[in-house]
Structure formats: structure tokens, C-alpha cells
Amino acid sequence: GASKGGVWSWHSGDTPVPKKDPDAPHGKVELKKKVTLLRGISIIIGTIIGAGIFISPKGILKNSGSVGMSLVVWIACGVLSLFGALSYAELGTSIKKSGGHYTYILEAFGPQMAFIRLWADVIAIRPAGLAVISLAFGQYILEPIFMPCGVPEIAIKLATSIGITSVMYLNSMSTSWTNRIQILLTFCKLLAIVIIIVPGLYMLFKGETKNFENAFEVSNIKLTGLPLAFYSGMYAYAGWFYLNFVTEEVENPEKTVPLAICISMAIVTSCYVLTNVAYYTVMSAEELLASQSVAVTFAEKTMGNFSVAVPVFVALSCFGTMNGCLFAFSRIFYVASREGHLPEVLSMIHVRRHTPLAAVIILYPMTVLQLFVGDIYSLLNFMSFLRWLFIGVAVLGLIYMRYTRPDMPRPFKVSSSFIPAIFSFTCFFMVFLSLYSDPVNTGIGFAISLTGIPAYYIFIVFDRRPKWLQKGLGNTLPTSLLCSHISHYQFKPPEYSLFSPHPSILNGVARQAGR
């Protein structure tokens, strides 16, 4: 049919009628580069610092056996995490595509390995991880209201649902406001940590050092427990890789990504170590191990009635982690759809808001479903080791590509292969530790991930799929969705629709067809 100004209006009978839309955007519709250095730092810090440092840092103390050794573990885990972050900085500046682990495994080892990682993400890891941190938000946002009684479970889940919904709405409506809120919440987290550090160090300088006497008592150090202590510490620092999930939206990624990663890791490591020093100044090792929420116990000892504000800070910290994680997770689905590993609709961008709306929303029903009907914590136990397995594989891919693709531009390069090798070895050691310490749950998680192999051949490789499957996964899905649900909107030709496919979607589909 004829068009006027390149804009179409769809009516019943699928007859296109030309209509001018003065507000329609011109040019290529894509995700905008709105992640500055400050926003990048807020994404990393905001996702690393969750509820753990406020609630229960006792896992490291319990397994290390002494105050001094636990502080050494906190510092060592910060250094090891920095090694991983530097490796990801090289990957992020060499492969300027969003998607993080998925993209790097795809580039280094091909589509099948990348799809297995994606499969585990979609069916379990991402929805369960988001549900768990959201439950912590629901618990702590209501705690001041119900004190001194416990919070009813149904109230927690309702508050959690409201929190998830608000984060989904924010990420769907505006990338700029998502990043602004993330910066604000990151400052709230750092303020909460400063509120703990300052009185703790003040008491330390006044001479409260009795809890540090014999800090490295040899008889208390548990060498057999140190691997588990490092395991807990590495989990506390997890999150340094989230900026790599949104590389395409970072301004000047060659400089911003490495700088944001290094600044963030320095801030987080300092905060973690000083916070633990403050805890040990006020509480003995026995008191810390007996506490259910270390920050609350600390506040009761030092701040009196002000301790009621601590749960609010913890809730804000959890909300910031929810916001940062969802912002990053949606980009994995967006990139995977662009590569032909997920339905095409997930790679479509809202033409005015410039957000991957479908990729954001897809997590909502899965997260809420797991929240109300699933055993989330068991699921996380099944799948947790997979995170470190695939991060180790991604960093191993960095070393591999140095030999297979030596001419690849590397604006930022880790000076020695020793750093990525040490970090990759650490990841694989933690995977082995999971197999040794909890073989049943780890085995179940490994079996769940292996279901990605038949899924890859069913959904990606086989050309002769059932018609219902083609209709659900093929190109007809976005078309039918757009026509049936938003037919009252005006459209440009497909590359400028309300949800616009990324320009490289055809390249991804072509690569899949070639495979």
C-alpha cells in the first residue's frame, strides 16, 4: 500500500492507510548510550552490595576460625574479584556487545555452550535470584512496622510483589530514570555503610581493641574451612560483571568500563573490610556468630533507638540490587534474541522510550510464579555453582582468544595471562568444592543445565519443527503480538515499529540458519 511520510496506520482488515505522525522518531531505533562513568559505578556497586554485608557476614568468620583470618579472607576475595573484573574489562572493551557471560562464551566457544548458559539463566537462575533478593526487600521494608513481632509470610510476599512490579515498571519506562534511581540507591547503601563504619572506627581509635587480641590465634584457624570461607567471600563480591551486560549502552566503553570496574572494586573492598572491622570492634566473635542480623545487633549496641532505621537501609539496599540486576538481566535476553536463541520479540525496542520492553517484562511472570509456588532457595542451591562454572569458562575464553584471535582490537588488556588464569582456576576450584561439599544439590543443578543440550537442538538446530512450535518461536510471534495487542498504534515499516528489532537481528538469524 501507499505510505505518506513513511508511517503506516493499521486498521481492521489489515489494510494499511497512510497517516502522518509528527512525533514518530527518525533514524535507527536502538538502545541509547546513557550509561556514564558515574552510572556505571552505581550499577556495579549497587548490585554487589546487597543485604549480605548488613545481615550475615558470619559465614567467613565461622569457616576461617579467627577474626584476623576472616579479615584476610575479605581482602583476598576482593583482590581475586578484581582479577576477574579486570579480565571482564578486557573482554568488554574487545567485544563491544552487551550480554556479559553469554556473549563472551558465544564469541569464544560457539552457540551451543552459550545456549546452555542461557537456558540455565532463563529457566532458573535469573528469576530465582531476583525473587530471593526481592523477598529480602519485602522482609526488611515491613520489619519496622511489625516490630517486635514477626512479619507474616503473606505480607512479605505482597510487599515483594509490589517491589518487583515497581522495578519492572521503572525499567520498562525509562533507562535514564532507572540509572538515576540506581545512583540514588547506591548513595543510600554507601551512607548506611558509613553509618556503621564511623562509630566503629571511632570506638577502635578510643582503644576498644579487646576483640582483636590474638586475632591470628593459630589454634583457632581452620585450614579445612578456608575454602568454604573463600567461597562465601566470593559470593559477597559477586556483581562486578554486571556492567558488561550493558556494554552497548556505555558511553566510551574503552575507557568507562575499565575505570568503572576498578573504582567500584576499590570502593567495595574498602567498605567490606572496614565494615567488618567496625563489627569486630563492637561485637566479639561469639556475639557476631550468634546474631541473626549483624547490622541490627551493631546498631542496638551503638545507636539505641536509631537501630530501627537499619532494616529500612537494608530494604533500600535490596531494592537497588533488584533494580541493577533487572537492568542487566534484560540485556542478556535482548542480545540472545538478537542472536536467534530466543523469540525475536525479545530483541524489540520501544520506539519512544528506547527500552527493551519485552526483554524486561519476560522476567516478571517467571519471578512472581517462583515467588509464590517455588522453593526458591533450593533452586538457588541447585544452580549456584553454575554461575562460577560459566564465569570461569568466559575468562578461559579470554585466554583462548588471545591465541585464536590475536589481531582482535584490545583497547584495554590485562598485562599478563597470569591474572585471568588465576581467576579462572579459582572459579573451577569453587565448582569442585560445590561438587565435594554438596554433591546431591550440585548434581541436580548440573542435570538441569544439561537439559539445555536437547533444548538447543529442538529449538535452534532442527529445521523441521512442529507448526505450533514454529508459530510460537518463529517470526510469526512478534508479528501476531504486535497486530493483535497493539494494533491501535501507528507503525513505520518493520525496522521502525513500536517495538523495533535491533539492526543486527537478521545477522543473528542468518548465522543460526548457517549452523
Side-chain angles (χ1 to χ4, degrees), residues 8-40:
W8 295 98
S9 178
W10 293 89
H11 296 270
S12 58
D14 292 329
T15 303
V17 176
K19 186 173 181 180
K20 186 77 172 178
D21 182 3
D23 297 324
H26 299 282
K28 184 167 67 174
V29 179
E30 60 186 356
L31 297 177
K32 300 297 184 182
K33 290 185 176 294
K34 294 185 177 181
V35 179
T36 60
L37 177 60
L38 179 60
R39 290 175 177 178

Side-chain angles (χ1 to χ4, degrees), residues 287-305:
E287 288 175 318
L288 190 144
L289 289 173
S291 174
Q292 294 299 315
S293 180
V294 179
V296 173
T297 304
F298 177 91
E300 289 172 349
K301 285 179 169 288
T302 58
M303 306 172 197
N305 293 332

Side-chain angles (χ1 to χ4, degrees), residues 236-256:
Y237 282 97
W240 43 262
F241 40 77
Y242 280 115
L243 186 61
N244 294 69
F245 289 13
V246 297
T247 304
E248 293 171 25
E249 297 168 71
V250 177
E251 290 183 358
N252 192 11
E254 294 86 354
K255 294 182 179 179
T256 301

Side-chain angles (χ1 to χ4, degrees), residues 42-65:
S42 71
I43 289 172
I44 298 173
I45 295 178
T47 49
I48 292 178
I49 302 176
I53 190 63
F54 302 108
I55 299 170
S56 183
K58 57 189 179 184
I60 293 178
L61 175 61
K62 179 181 178 180
N63 289 298
S64 62

Side-chain angles (χ1 to χ4, degrees), residues 148-211:
C149 302
V151 185
E153 185 176 350
I154 186 63
I156 293 174
K157 292 193 174 183
L158 288 174
T160 299
S161 300
I162 293 172
I164 293 173
T165 303
S166 60
V167 168
M168 292 284 178
Y169 179 81
L170 178 63
N171 277 266
S172 299
M173 292 298 103
S174 172
T175 298
S176 295
W177 274 105
T178 299
N179 283 294
R180 289 168 187 160
I181 294 295
Q182 187 67 14
I183 292 173
L184 175 63
L185 293 172
T186 299
F187 277 116
C188 290
K189 293 185 185 204
L190 295 177
L191 176 62
I193 287 177
V194 168
I195 290 173
I196 293 172
I197 290 174
V198 170
L201 293 184
Y202 175 73
M203 293 178 67
L204 180 66
F205 292 141
K206 282 183 63 178
E208 291 287 337
T209 59
K210 62 180 183 296
N211 293 331

Side-chain angles (χ1 to χ4, degrees), residues 62-64 221-230 429 433 436:
K62 179 181 178 180
N63 289 298
S64 62
I221 296 175
K222 301 177 181 178
L223 294 177
T224 56
L226 280 178
L228 292 174
F230 273 91
F429 176 76
L433 188 65
Y436 176 77

Side-chain angles (χ1 to χ4, degrees), residues 61-332:
L61 175 61
K62 179 181 178 180
N63 289 298
S64 62
S66 72
V67 169
M69 186 56 68
S70 70
L71 293 176
V72 170
V73 171
W74 278 107
I75 295 171
C77 288
V79 173
L80 283 172
S81 298
L82 178 61
F83 285 0
L86 291 173
S87 301
Y88 264 54
E90 179 175 330
L91 287 166
T93 53
S94 303
I95 304 170
K96 299 185 184 69
K97 294 195 294 186
S98 298
H101 322 313
Y102 166 81
T103 297
Y104 306 144
I105 293 172
L106 178 68
E107 291 287 330
F109 301 112
Q112 185 169 352
M113 182 77 77
F115 182 85
I116 293 172
R117 166 69 194 190
L118 176 69
W119 179 258
D121 275 346
V122 170
I123 66 173
I125 296 177
R126 300 308 177 189
L130 188 59
V132 166
I133 193 66
S134 302
L135 280 171
F137 164 79
Q139 168 75 37
Y140 283 91
I141 199 68
L142 294 176
E143 192 164 298
I145 300 174
F146 286 87
M147 277 183 172
C149 302
V151 185
E153 185 176 350
I154 186 63
I156 293 174
K157 292 193 174 183
L158 288 174
T160 299
S161 300
I162 293 172
I164 293 173
T165 303
S166 60
V167 168
M168 292 284 178
Y169 179 81
L170 178 63
N171 277 266
S172 299
M173 292 298 103
S174 172
T175 298
S176 295
W177 274 105
T178 299
N179 283 294
R180 289 168 187 160
I181 294 295
Q182 187 67 14
I183 292 173
L184 175 63
L185 293 172
T186 299
F187 277 116
C188 290
K189 293 185 185 204
L190 295 177
L191 176 62
I193 287 177
V194 168
I195 290 173
I196 293 172
I197 290 174
V198 170
L201 293 184
Y202 175 73
M203 293 178 67
L204 180 66
F205 292 141
K206 282 183 63 178
E208 291 287 337
T209 59
K210 62 180 183 296
N211 293 331
F212 293 97
E213 295 175 2
N214 301 318
F216 291 94
E217 184 70 37
V218 177
S219 60
N220 294 330
I221 296 175
K222 301 177 181 178
L223 294 177
T224 56
L226 280 178
L228 292 174
F230 273 91
Y231 198 46
S232 299
M234 293 299 289
Y235 269 103
Y237 282 97
W240 43 262
F241 40 77
Y242 280 115
L243 186 61
N244 294 69
F245 289 13
V246 297
T247 304
E248 293 171 25
E249 297 168 71
V250 177
E251 290 183 358
N252 192 11
E254 294 86 354
K255 294 182 179 179
T256 301
V257 171
L259 197 56
I261 285 174
C262 292
I263 292 173
S264 300
M265 291 310 301
I267 292 173
V268 171
T269 303
S270 301
C271 287
Y272 277 5
V273 174
L274 291 175
T275 300
N276 279 275
V277 169
Y279 287 154
Y280 292 135
T281 302
V282 175
M283 294 180 283
S284 66
E286 292 75 16
E287 288 175 318
L288 190 144
L289 289 173
S291 174
Q292 294 299 315
S293 180
V294 179
V296 173
T297 304
F298 177 91
E300 289 172 349
K301 285 179 169 288
T302 58
M303 306 172 197
N305 293 332
F306 184 74
S307 62
V308 74
V310 172
V312 177
F313 278 115
V314 175
L316 290 174
S317 179
C318 293
F319 193 86
T321 302
M322 291 161 58
N323 186 56
C325 288
L326 180 61
F327 183 73
F329 294 167
S330 61
R331 271 57 179 181
I332 298 178

